[in-house]
Every structure is written in structure tokens, then in C-alpha cells.
Amino acid sequence: MATQSDQLLSAEVLPRPHTLLVGTAYATVASVMVFIGLLGLYFAERTATIKAAPPAGRGTAWIETGTISLVPGGMMLGTMAMSVVTMAWAVHSIRRDDRPRAYLALALTALFGIAVINQTIYYYNSMGLTISGADASLQGLLIFVITGAHLVMVGAAVVFLLLMAFRALAGQYSSRQADGIVAASIFWYATVAVYTVIYFGIYVAK
Amino acid sequence: MTITESDAAATTTAPSVTTAVQPQGLYELITTGDHTTLGRLYVLASAVFILGAGVFGVLSGAEKLDTTSIDLFGGVTSAWQTFAAYRIGLLLCGVLPLFIGLATAVVPLQVGSPAIAFPRAAAAAFWVWLLGVGLLIGGFAADGGLGEAPGLTAGTHQDGVALTLLAIGVLVVALLLAAVCVATTVLTLRAPGLTLRRVPVFSWSMLVASSVWFLTLPVLLGRILLAYVDYTHAQTLYGAENALYNQIRWSFGQPMVYAYAIPALGIVSEIIPVAARARQRSYDVVLGAIALFGLLSVGSFASAPNVQDKFVFLAVGYAIALPVLALFGAWADTLRQGKPASSGPLGALGLALLGALVLFGGVLAGVMYVFVPFDLRNTSAVDGQMAMVLLASATVGFAGVVYWSSKLTGRAVPEGLARLAVLPLVGGAFLAGLGDFAAGFYDQPAGLVTSAVKDGAEIMNAIGLVGYGLFALGALVAVGAVVRTFLPSGSYAPANPWQGHTLEWASSSPPPVGNFRGPLPVVRSERPLLDAAENGGAV
């Protein structure tokens, strides 16, 4: 049976090349909102604790001095900052069809991501906080959940990046269509932005 | 002038989306990325879960008949778990997936796309959602649920509670993934000429709803994650067994509860002009009102403690009525201009319009809730408002299923069955909400009631029970109607049984692989098929 679409005059479909880009942008917003919610809660608890009088509250210091060393956190920030450069380099290269440098930049970015995962695990072992047993604390819970969620985000970013890198290796992206690499970079930059807030808001401010 | 003339400037290449095939067996069903099939699966499953949630609502309502004791269940824990199962089931297994399912099936057709964006992700979202439902059922079956009611002593439900929290997290992630696919389809896979101002209202409402969900549901996910980690370790604060519900309570109250109802506004706006056989009046106002409603329903800020005294909470509570009033104005104007025919979608119209009225009742209940002199804080009024909004949303969702059934399965829901479901669903949604809401004026506390309340509250609870019973009955009829369209009996419906106005009706019933036979025309208005009909079919 003929439908109305059969009778309509035809026109070719317009290109909508940004599907992956838009989808990634939505996923990035959702990921960032997880951290906005958790960090909002963290700062609310921190403020309440600091403002509370010591006998009734949990003391005036949110995290005691010496509990968290700044060195590993700073190293991670440095690693993240370098990954921003390599990620931008990857996008720049693929847009100029400089494939060898694009592959190199993508590999370096992924390596930095894996290094951050490694550094986070080291950081966990050096922190004087715990979430189980008699020493469990609210501070430890919030910090481990927030940084743990960020660890997952970094892992997802690395996987996404590698996936796009393999697609690039297969010749899918070029100066005409670099959406996959740009999408990976959006998620990567969000990962770095979230860590920057964690570093200054949690590790530095204590 | 035609609205679908060929446009040389639009002659370009097709988008790079995968056009899936119709599944022929179990393996193909599990691995399919066909949006119509996924939509069908969502709709069927969520309709059944709405019925299940309705039954839990009946049980929960029956328990409130005598507020001085726990009569129906073995103890207060079982009563609490039933209450929690009703709420979580209705929202995450019923209403949201019903809308997502309809959108998965209909939105690509409405925007003239041959497939949904990220078909494999859409398929993964459905199966992960179904896994989440299984985990949720397992969590409750294992004596878990959400632990104990706030204020009660913690019990020993270690694994079951952890499983329930995990299930909620999985459900939220799956629904968000599905929403990404729908929103991306609207934004990037529209037909030539179909600008965002011309997008059909349901697709627009799904774009708004998805955007709001991206801003709010991840906050819920974060709280669930926090509760899960704490519960499985030290149970210091957020994961204490009697504090778990407090982590997600805000997502059932206003303004967050309105975020789940956004697609309902789009469905009503689709059905009314077609049933009235008239062009939607004030189209831009309708789009703007839905966007404003979505903006005001961004309720993640309500997850903060003591937010109910804040100006923004009160202001949003009042302001949210304005876009709904604007919508009712536009709908009334359209109905006034039109001439509904007996061959039109009158069953769907009844469900949609009356469901929208109950939804408006929920909005008014929200206005009364924030009106300080009524002092309804922490009373069951918040439960009543939630019930009214969510059950009305489910009712409008069923209206959407009736309206688009020929696109979902190829067979139209019998009009008699649709009309039969109107009164029980609409009346049930209204009475269920009214009972709990009115009981709030008698200072009945929100959630589980374990102590005596003022005289009169139990009568309101009885009204609420009747409402839940009616709704469950209506849901049973609706499920029967949905199942009937799935049965391979009878002939397929015509392509455009209601003389619809938008692109989905230009496709056959059910849609072919790729949705449309041949390339699409350039769209020149928000009602391309109506324009074509008004031009005598010469397009």
C-alpha cells in the first residue's frame, strides 16, 4: 500500500555529521553532574563541620594536617596537564591529516591516563583515611567515593580514547571528519577539569 | 505552495547511521538495534511493571487503612519494603521506561531519521535496564529493599539492600544511556528542513526531558553510589540502613518529580491537534512552555538538606504552574478551533486530556505544598503529589501507546479497550493522589504510617486505596490492550489511521526497515502532512 511518503517529492537527507559529538557531549554533561552533586555534598559537609562547635560537632578541622600529602596529587595534576597538551595535539594533527603525530599524541594521552590511574592507587595507599572499620570517617567516605568515581571516569576516558585511536588507525577520521577524536577530547578535558576541582577543592583546601 | 518541495541545496549525502533489520528469532531479538523493536520491548515491559507498581500501591494503601498498627504485613519492615518497591518500581521500571520506549520507537520516525542514533547503545540500554529490573526484584526478594524506614532501628539485610542500591544505579545508568540516544537523534538526525522550531512536540519534549534528566539523574546516581559504598563498608551516615531512603527522597518530591512528566506534555500536545483535526495553535508557545516546565523541574538542588525553606524552592513550586497553564490555554484554543471526528483517536484523547488534568492537579498540589500557611512539610501530601504526577504521567504514557500503537506493532489498540481504560486510569490516578494529599492536612506523616493520626486521615487513606485499586484495574486493561497489539492476529493498520500531521504518519504501519521508502522530502512546516492534505494531496 502506498504511503504518503511515497507520494512526496524527494530530497536527499542533509548531512548531520555530529552524532558522536553530540552524544559524547551529553554523556560528558551527565558524568560531570555526578561530580557536581558529590562535590556539593562534600563542601556542604566540610562547611558544616568547620562551623560546628567542637563539643557538639565533629571538630573544627575537616581533615587533619598530614593526612593527605600534596605531592602525589600535584604529580597527578601535572600528568593531567600534560595530557591536555597531547590531547589537543592529537586533535590538531588529525585535522591536518598528520596521522603519525596524531597516533603518537593519542598514545601519549592514553599513557598519561593510565599513569593517573596508577598514581591514584598509590595515593589511596598513602592517605591516612579509611572507609571501613573503627577508623572509618565521613571525610574518608566522601573522598574515596569522589576520587573513586573520578578513577572510573579516567578509565572510561582511556577506553574511549583508545577506541577512537583504533578507528583513526583504520582510517576513519581525517581533516574532513574528525568527530571521533574531538568527541574523545571533550570527554578527556572534562576528566581533567573534574580532577582540577578535586585537587584544589579537596587536596589543597582540605 | 507545497511544503515538501525538492530543495537543490539539500542534496547531500545521507547520515552515517546503522539501519537495523527486523529480528526474526531470539538471537536477533537480543542483538537487534532496530528502534521499533526496542521501543516495543520497553513499552511491553514497562506497562507490566506499571501494573505491578499499581498492585504494590494497593497493598501500601491498604496498610494505611488502620494507621495505628501494621496489619497487612508481617512487620513494619515488610510494609516499608512494599512502600519502597511501589515508588522505585513506578518511577524507574514503569513511567520513565514507558516514555523512553515510546521515544525510542517514535522519535526517529517523527524527525524523519532511518534509525535511532547509536542503535547498539540503545539496545545495550534496554538490556541493561532489564538486568537492573531483575536485580531490583532480586534485591527486594532477598529481604533487602531500602533497608528500614527512616527513624527505625537498622535490621540485617546486608546483601539484599546492597543489591537494591546496585539495581537502582544500574537502572539510572541504563535510562540515561537510552536518553542520550533519543536526544542525539532529535538534535542530529532530523530530516531536511525540520528545524528545531518545527520538530514535533513529543520529540521536543523528549529533548527537553533528556536534557533535564542529564542534569538531575546523575546527582541521584552519585547519592546512590555514596550510599552503596558506605552501606557495604562502615555505614557511617549515608549508608546507615535507616538513612538510605533519605538519599533518594528528594527525587520523588518537587520539583524533581515534574522532570519525569515532561514527555507527557509532549504526548498531549501531539494528540489534541490530530483528534481535533486542527492545526496546533500557538506552536511556539507550546514549545516554550514545555522548555520552561523542564527548566523549572531541574530539581537536583533539592538533594541538599533543609532546602525546603529556601526561596528558590518556594519560587519554583509556584512558578511551575505557569507553563502548564499556558499549555492548557493552547490546547483549549486548538480544541475550540477544531472539529473532532468519531473516527479520530478519541480513546487516546480521553486518556491524554484527562491525564493532563490530573497532572495539573499534581502541579496545584505542589503549589499548595509550598504555601507556608498550609504547613504540609513532611506530611503525606508530598506522597499524594508524587502519586498524582507519576500516575497521571503513566496514564498519558498509555495514551501515547494507544495513539502510536500502529507504529509500534503495526496493529492499532482497539478503540473500545482504550476508552474502557480512561475512567479507571484517570480516576485512579486522581483519587490515589488525592487521598494521600488530603491526609497531609490531618498531619499524617510522609511514607510509612506507624502511629495514630488525626480523625479523618483514615477516610482519606480509604479514598487513596480506592484510587490505587482503580488505577491497577485500568493498568490491567492497558496491559491487555498492549499485549493484544503484539499478537499476530488481524490485519495491519493503515499508515495514517488518525490523519496525523507529522512525519511518522508518512511511514507504513509498522515502519519498514529504514523507516521510510525512499528519500525524505524537505520539510517546510511543523505539520508537513496536514499541509499536504490541505493542498489536496498535491505535494
Side-chain angles (χ1 to χ4, degrees), chain B residues 306-367:
Chain B
N306 304 320
V307 79
Q308 296 200 5
D309 298 322
K310 307 286 186 196
F311 170 77
V312 66
F313 183 84
L314 301 174
V316 165
Y318 292 120
I320 198 107
L322 296 177
V324 183
L325 281 172
L327 283 170
F328 268 97
W331 295 336
D333 198 16
T334 305
L335 281 171
R336 190 175 59 83
Q337 298 280 332
K339 293 174 185 168
S342 60
S343 60
L346 297 185
L349 178 68
L351 283 167
L353 200 54
L354 296 176
L357 279 170
V358 178
L359 181 59
F360 185 55
V363 171
L364 286 181
V367 170

Side-chain angles (χ1 to χ4, degrees), chain B residues 224-413:
Chain B
I224 289 293
L225 179 67
L226 193 65
Y228 178 83
V229 172
D230 194 22
Y231 182 79
T232 51
H233 288 83
Q235 303 190 1
T236 53
L237 182 62
Y238 297 104
E241 205 166 51
N242 52 5
L244 293 173
Y245 182 66
N246 287 338
Q247 307 311 313
I248 64 168
R249 181 199 295 267
W250 59 276
S251 60
F252 294 102
Q254 71 168 337
M256 186 64 203
V257 73
Y258 300 128
Y260 314 129
I262 299 168
L265 302 177
I267 292 172
V268 181
S269 305
E270 288 283 353
I271 294 173
I272 284 178
V274 173
R277 298 189 186 281
R279 193 174 294 272
Q280 172 66 56
R281 305 281 290 178
S282 312
Y283 197 76
D284 286 345
V285 171
V286 170
L287 297 185
I290 290 174
L292 181 61
F293 186 84
L295 188 68
L296 292 170
S297 68
V298 177
S300 36
F301 72 91
S303 64
N306 304 320
V307 79
Q308 296 200 5
D309 298 322
K310 307 286 186 196
F311 170 77
V312 66
F313 183 84
L314 301 174
V316 165
Y318 292 120
I320 198 107
L322 296 177
V324 183
L325 281 172
L327 283 170
F328 268 97
W331 295 336
D333 198 16
T334 305
L335 281 171
R336 190 175 59 83
Q337 298 280 332
K339 293 174 185 168
S342 60
S343 60
L346 297 185
L349 178 68
L351 283 167
L353 200 54
L354 296 176
L357 279 170
V358 178
L359 181 59
F360 185 55
V363 171
L364 286 181
V367 170
M368 293 165 76
Y369 181 78
V370 295
F371 187 55
V372 176
F374 284 154
D375 194 21
L376 292 172
R377 306 275 172 83
N378 300 319
T379 67
S380 64
V382 69
D383 297 340
Q385 193 224 0
M386 183 217 77
M388 230 182 270
V389 172
L390 287 188
L391 297 181
S393 298
T395 302
V396 177
F398 280 130
V401 174
V402 171
Y403 180 65
W404 282 301
S405 57
S406 59
K407 298 301 165 194
L408 278 168
T409 64
R411 297 174 184 84
V413 167

Side-chain angles (χ1 to χ4, degrees), chain A residues 1-24 26-27 29-31 33-34 36-38 41 44-45 58 131-133 136-138 141-142 144-145 149 167 177, chain B residues 4-6 10-15 117-118 180 183-184 187-193 207 211 214-215 218-219 221-223 225-226 229-230 233-234 236-238 495-496 506-508 517 519-522 529 539:
Chain A
M1 174 184 168
T3 67
Q4 280 178 272
S5 70
D6 298 329
Q7 303 162 17
L8 301 177
L9 293 175
S10 66
E12 293 297 325
V13 179
L14 278 172
R16 305 281 182 186
H18 302 307
T19 302
L20 184 57
L21 213 56
V22 171
T24 305
Y26 269 125
V29 168
S31 304
M33 283 308 298
V34 172
I36 288 178
L38 287 172
L41 194 65
E45 288 286 359
R58 286 161 282 184
I131 54 171
S132 56
S137 64
L138 181 60
L141 171 71
L142 285 164
F144 277 115
V145 167
R167 283 188 177 187
Q177 222 287 36
Chain B
T4 52
E5 64 203 9
S6 179
T11 305
T12 47
T13 54
F118 314 122
V180 167
T184 307
L187 281 179
T188 66
L189 297 178
R190 299 191 306 277
L207 178 64
S211 303
F214 295 137
L215 294 174
V219 178
L221 184 64
R223 296 301 282 263
L225 179 67
L226 193 65
V229 172
D230 194 22
H233 288 83
T236 53
L237 182 62
Y238 297 104
N496 191 358
S507 177
S508 60
R517 295 192 177 95
L520 277 171
V522 176
L529 299 194
V539 286

Side-chain angles (χ1 to χ4, degrees), chain A residues 34-35 37-43 124 139-153 194 197-198 202-203, chain B residues 225-226 229:
Chain A
V34 172
F35 291 96
L38 287 172
L39 285 166
L41 194 65
Y42 176 88
F43 292 126
Y124 282 168
Q139 292 88 331
L141 171 71
L142 285 164
I143 288 174
F144 277 115
V145 167
I146 291 169
T147 56
H150 183 257
L151 198 64
V152 172
M153 191 180 182
V194 168
V197 176
I198 290 173
I202 296 179
Y203 299 149
Chain B
L225 179 67
L226 193 65
V229 172

